[in-house]
């Protein structure tokens, strides 16, 4: 795998308290049509709408979060992303965002395929289960790992599929996806080497 | 906020049925000020038994409007920012031409000589009023139940005239169950001998039939939970059953009261005509599919349904939203948790308020 990461600067500022949002904010160009899957209360979409003039839409399953998103002025649909994308026409969006949501879906592969049907490009950000801290934690404790990135007990975790940087690269290759850019983050730094060990969060820009 | 009713008269209105009406009058009220760009106009559309008095205290009756908790200074439809218009619908009995109005051809009330009307006829007349006010584009068209149907009709029939639409607790077409309840109401009225083929003006109106129709309606507007909470099995002013057919239960007393109250403010023939218009409502008519029917719509949508509404269940709003998404329309949707059944859009407005306020503000900002 090529561990080549985009950009020379290794420091990543935060956007709304998150480095992966900052990357997404960099990728999306002004005026684009954007769909955020699992958009929560719509903070990222609101930022993109206000700062990049994007046409922002979201899908979120929690009614309370949808209410807050709509109250912010973001067009969010209350629904399940596992079956909720079928209505959208092909290539309806320039970007479909899955920011730390893929690992929470029941059928990640079909969600990935659907996002690249309705979107020309997909931005997938996920917590890397291959990070060294996760590996050490599991090796030493012999229990389902709990780290700052995966803070939940196994029985209450929203994460139902665990994947590593390697896993995503392998799947992308098997699906014949083009990875246009990849970013590996640890805190505020871009990890240029050994991303599968060093990255806490990975952000991939992919297309079919 | 003391408000006064206005009215405007038109020479004619052509109808979907092919008939035409001469001399049509529309009652309307307005709240707030129209801005110089005329870009802040909101059209509030009333439900089946509503009227033009949506907000404030009526100068005439001293009563608050039917959506006074949503329209006014600082409220969801903030009259400090927006100019809100509400009209009584065609076929109504609260100032707009309907079956109880005088037929200019005969000099007598229309009664059943009034032509059958549709939701799109109502909307066509509303547009004539908006034209007469010199408003090119409405910031939003909004309403619950039948008001939501009109909002959808506006978005499809006059896509260049509406920036956004907020249909609440509504549907794109009346279901068999909705038609069935309306038919029970109509049959109750027509079974009352006082109905007299619709010719009862100046005589005893079909009060018993209309009251029964309203009682059925009220049941469908509530939920099992809200009725349990409001009445339970409580007895009315007694400790034991009467072992007779007078009022025993609170719920019986309530329904009888609401039925008898309704007779004082509503015309039985209007009940027939307006419910029929709702039953005829089906956006897909002549289009093959809902998505095809919604093809002309350009508006931004906020669709709201309520968890306990079994008369206009959430699946109907979701159908609407899915069709809009398939057209790639800008649509926000949420099902609000509420115990108040279909009535939720009128009574349980705290969450509805924050949704409408945010949606409207962002729509208005994008415009300017």
């Amino acid at each position: 795998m090529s561990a080549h990461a985009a950009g020379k600067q290794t420091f990543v500022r935060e956007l709304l308290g998150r480095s992966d949002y900052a990357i997404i904010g960099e990728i999306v160009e002004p005026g684009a049509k954007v769909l955020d899957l699992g958009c929560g209360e719509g903070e990222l979409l609101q930022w993109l709408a206000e700062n990049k003039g994007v046409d922002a839409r979201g899908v979120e399953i929690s009614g309370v979060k949808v209410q807050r998103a709509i109250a912010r002025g973001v067009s969010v649909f209350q629904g399940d992303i596992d079956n909720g994308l079928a209505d959208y026409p092909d290539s309806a969006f320039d970007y479909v965002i899955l920011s730390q949501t893929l690992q929470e879906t029941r059928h990640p592969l079909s969600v990935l395929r659907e996002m690249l049907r309705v979107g020309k490009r997909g931005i997938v950000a996920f917590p890397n289960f291959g990070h060294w801290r996760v590996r050490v934690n599991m090796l030493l404790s012999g229990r389902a790992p709990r780290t700052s990135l995966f803070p939940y007990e196994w029985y209450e975790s929203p994460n139902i599929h665990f994947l590593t940087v390697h896993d995503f690269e392998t799947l992308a290759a098997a699906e014949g996806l083009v990875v246009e850019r990849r970013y590996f983050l640890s805190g505020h730094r871009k990890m240029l080497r050994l991303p599968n060990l060093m990255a806490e969060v990975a952000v991939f820009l992919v297309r079919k | 906020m003391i408000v006064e009713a206005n009215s405007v008269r038109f020479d004619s209105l052509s109808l979907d049925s092919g008939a035409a009406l001469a001399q049509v009058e529309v009652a309307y009220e307005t709240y707030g000020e129209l801005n110089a760009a005329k870009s802040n106009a909101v059209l509030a559309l009333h439900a089946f038994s509503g009227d033009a008095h949506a907000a404030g205290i009526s100068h005439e009756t001293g009563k608050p409007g039917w959506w006074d908790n949503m329209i006014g200074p600082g409220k969801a439809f903030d009259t400090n920012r927006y100019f809100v218009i509400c009209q009584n619908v065609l076929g109504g009995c609260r100032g707009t031409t309907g079956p109880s109005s005088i037929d200019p051809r005969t000099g007598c009330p229309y009664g059943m000589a009034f032509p059958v009307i549709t939701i799109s006829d109502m909307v066509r007349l509303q547009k004539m009023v908006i034209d007469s006010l010199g408003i090119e584009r409405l910031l939003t068209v909004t309403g619950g139940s039948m008001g939501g149907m009109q909002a959808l009709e506006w978005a499809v029939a006059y896509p260049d005239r509406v920036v956004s639409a907020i249909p609440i607790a509504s549907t794109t077409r009346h279901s068999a169950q909705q038609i069935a309840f309306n038919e029970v109401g109509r049959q109750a009225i027509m079974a009352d001998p006082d109905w007299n083929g619709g010719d009862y003006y100046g005589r005893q109106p079909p009060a018993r039939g209309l009251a029964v129709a309203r009682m059925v309606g009220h049941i469908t507007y509530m939920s099992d939970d809200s009725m349990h909470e409001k009445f339970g099995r409580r007895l009315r002013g007694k400790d034991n059953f009467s072992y007779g057919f007078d009022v025993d239960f609170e719920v019986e007393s309530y329904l009888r009261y609401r039925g008898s109250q309704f007779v004082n403010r509503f015309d039985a023939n209007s009940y027939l005509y307006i419910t029929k218009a709702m039953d005829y409502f089906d956006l897909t008519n002549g289009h093959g599919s809902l998505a095809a029917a919604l093809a002309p719509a350009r508006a931004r949508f906020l669709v709201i349904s309520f968890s306990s509404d079994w008369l206009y269940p959430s699946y109907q709003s979701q159908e609407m939203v899915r069709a809009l998404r398939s057209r790639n329309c800008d649509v926000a949707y949420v099902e609000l948790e509420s115990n108040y059944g279909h009535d939720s859009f009128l009574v349980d407005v705290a969450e509805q308020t924050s949704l409408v306020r945010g949606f409207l503000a962002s729509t208005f900002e994008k415009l300017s």
Side-chain angles (χ1 to χ4, degrees):
Chain A
M1 180 201 83
S2 155
H4 170 77
K8 297 236 160 42
Q9 287 284 338
T10 59
F11 182 79
V12 181
R13 63 193 165 80
E14 276 187 357
L15 177 60
L16 308 166
R18 281 176 53 174
S19 319
D20 59 334
Y21 280 180
I23 299 286
I24 295 169
E26 257 175 52
I27 294 174
V28 174
E29 64 257 12
K33 251 181 114 110
V34 176
L35 176 67
D36 186 357
L37 301 176
C39 65
E41 298 181 6
E43 305 96 322
L44 177 62
L45 286 171
Q46 185 186 25
W47 188 91
L48 290 170
E50 285 173 0
N51 294 280
K52 293 240 167 169
V54 308
D55 185 347
R57 318 268 174 88
V59 179
E60 170 57 48
I61 196 159
S62 153
V64 174
K65 290 180 179 171
V66 173
Q67 280 178 49
R68 296 202 181 124
I70 297 173
R72 284 173 195 272
V74 181
S75 293
V76 173
F77 165 80
Q78 183 183 12
D80 180 355
I81 59 178
D82 269 308
N83 0 323
L85 302 185
D87 309 316
Y88 287 115
D90 294 352
S91 300
F93 297 94
D94 297 312
Y95 295 96
V96 179
I97 298 169
L98 268 171
S99 80
Q100 310 216 16
T101 308
L102 188 62
Q103 76 281 359
E104 296 180 7
T105 61
R106 184 161 288 280
H107 304 290
L109 182 54
S110 63
V111 168
L112 196 62
R113 286 175 180 164
E114 271 294 272
M115 81 182 279
L116 289 172
R117 179 186 68 78
V118 305
K120 294 169 191 157
R121 286 184 169 78
I123 303 174
V124 185
F126 59 88
N128 174 29
F129 203 62
H131 188 267
W132 65 267
R133 217 178 281 118
V134 176
R135 301 190 198 193
V136 168
N137 188 286
M138 187 163 179
L139 186 70
L140 295 184
S141 73
R143 300 178 52 201
R146 284 183 67 192
T147 68
S148 54
L149 209 57
F150 296 92
Y152 308 99
E153 284 288 0
W154 63 272
Y155 46 82
E156 58 190 10
S157 173
N159 304 318
I160 55 175
H161 290 97
F162 296 95
L163 74 160
T164 69
V165 168
H166 274 327
D167 289 327
F168 190 83
E169 295 275 8
T170 306
L171 179 63
E175 287 289 301
L177 304 183
V178 179
V179 177
E180 293 194 336
R181 288 189 228 169
R182 36 173 79 77
Y183 304 84
F184 305 112
L185 303 171
S186 178
H188 289 120
R189 296 169 59 82
K190 282 182 190 163
M191 294 288 104
L192 302 179
R193 289 173 199 204
L194 298 176
N196 201 39
L197 266 180
M198 304 305 290
E200 292 177 330
V201 173
V203 184
F204 283 84
L205 174 63
V206 293
R207 65 176 165 83
K208 269 200 288 197
Chain B
M1 183 166 76
I2 303 291
V3 295
E4 303 221 24
N6 303 293
S7 76
V8 57
R9 181 174 287 194
F10 302 99
D11 291 338
S12 70
L13 174 71
S14 54
L15 302 170
D16 282 351
S17 66
L21 278 169
Q23 287 183 27
V24 182
E25 191 150 342
V26 181
Y28 69 96
E29 290 186 8
T30 68
Y31 323 100
E33 299 290 331
L34 187 61
N35 63 11
K38 298 188 175 179
S39 62
N40 67 339
V42 169
L43 180 61
L45 302 153
H46 69 73
F48 163 62
S49 64
D51 54 27
H53 181 44
I57 302 299
S58 165
H59 179 70
E60 188 190 340
T61 66
K63 291 190 172 149
W66 57 268
W67 229 6
D68 191 51
N69 51 10
M70 288 287 288
I71 303 169
K75 295 178 184 171
F77 298 100
D78 186 350
T79 50
N80 292 328
R81 299 187 71 185
Y82 308 115
F83 176 64
V84 183
I85 307 146
C86 184
Q87 315 172 13
N88 186 210
V89 294
L90 177 66
C93 49
R94 310 278 296 167
T96 295
T97 299
S100 58
S101 306
I102 300 296
D103 182 347
R105 296 168 306 183
T106 64
C108 301
Y110 282 103
M112 297 311 276
F114 195 74
V116 169
I117 53 168
T118 65
I119 297 290
S120 71
D121 291 332
M122 295 175 181
V123 167
R124 198 174 307 118
L125 181 59
Q126 287 160 3
K127 183 187 156 276
M128 288 159 68
V129 176
I130 297 303
D131 287 342
S132 77
L133 294 171
I135 295 166
E136 193 58 43
R137 289 178 89 199
L138 293 160
L139 176 63
T140 203
V141 286
T142 182
S145 198
M146 186 180 86
M149 298 177 207
Q150 296 163 48
L152 288 168
E153 180 67 31
W154 261 97
V156 171
Y158 306 108
D160 302 333
R161 306 293 298 273
V162 291
V163 180
S164 69
I166 312 176
I168 304 173
S170 191
T171 181
T172 57
R173 63 183 135 187
H174 245 203
S175 67
Q177 181 175 273
Q178 288 156 338
I179 295 168
F181 280 115
N182 277 349
E183 175 62 1
V184 171
R186 288 190 293 262
Q187 288 299 325
I189 290 167
M190 293 192 285
D192 186 332
D194 290 333
W195 179 62
N196 191 32
D199 180 14
Y200 52 79
Y201 299 106
R203 288 202 284 264
Q204 169 64 33
R208 289 164 298 170
L210 182 57
V212 170
R214 187 57 171 172
M215 289 166 82
V216 174
H218 259 287
I219 298 166
T220 66
Y221 304 152
M222 294 186 277
S223 70
D224 191 23
D225 274 351
S226 68
M227 288 178 87
H228 177 75
E229 193 181 303
K230 197 165 182 172
F231 314 109
R233 289 185 52 81
R234 277 196 311 282
L235 300 180
R236 175 74 179 175
K238 58 184 74 167
D239 296 325
N240 294 301
F241 297 158
S242 67
Y243 294 102
F245 294 94
D246 279 343
V247 164
D248 278 323
F249 296 99
E250 280 284 2
V251 66
E252 293 175 317
S253 163
Y254 174 82
L255 289 175
R256 288 190 192 192
Y257 171 76
R258 295 309 288 253
S260 66
Q261 285 291 299
F262 192 59
V263 169
N264 298 328
R265 68 173 178 92
F266 213 80
D267 174 54
N269 285 336
S270 278
Y271 194 111
L272 303 181
Y273 279 89
I274 298 175
T275 56
K276 200 71 186 184
M278 292 161 77
D279 291 348
Y280 282 148
F281 183 67
D282 179 359
L283 271 188
T284 57
N285 245 348
H287 294 283
S289 74
L290 187 53
L294 290 166
R298 298 280 169 277
R300 186 175 188 221
F301 286 84
L302 169 60
V303 180
I304 300 171
S305 65
F306 293 93
S307 58
S308 57
D309 184 351
W310 57 273
L311 185 61
Y312 289 80
S314 289
Y315 82 82
Q316 292 187 319
S317 289
Q318 286 158 6
E319 248 172 41
M320 179 191 308
V321 169
R322 281 200 300 272
L324 287 166
R325 295 214 302 181
S326 76
R327 306 299 317 186
N328 220 357
C329 291
D330 184 346
V331 49
Y333 164 71
V334 68
E335 178 193 67
L336 294 178
E337 293 291 326
S338 174
N339 273 339
Y340 293 97
H342 186 53
D343 265 343
S344 298
F345 79 94
L346 292 169
V347 298
D348 195 6
V349 298
E351 289 167 334
Q352 189 173 266
T353 293
S354 69
L355 293 177
V356 166
R357 187 181 286 147
F359 175 83
L360 214 51
S362 63
T363 305
F364 192 45
E365 273 164 29
K366 276 179 201 172
L367 201 61
S368 44

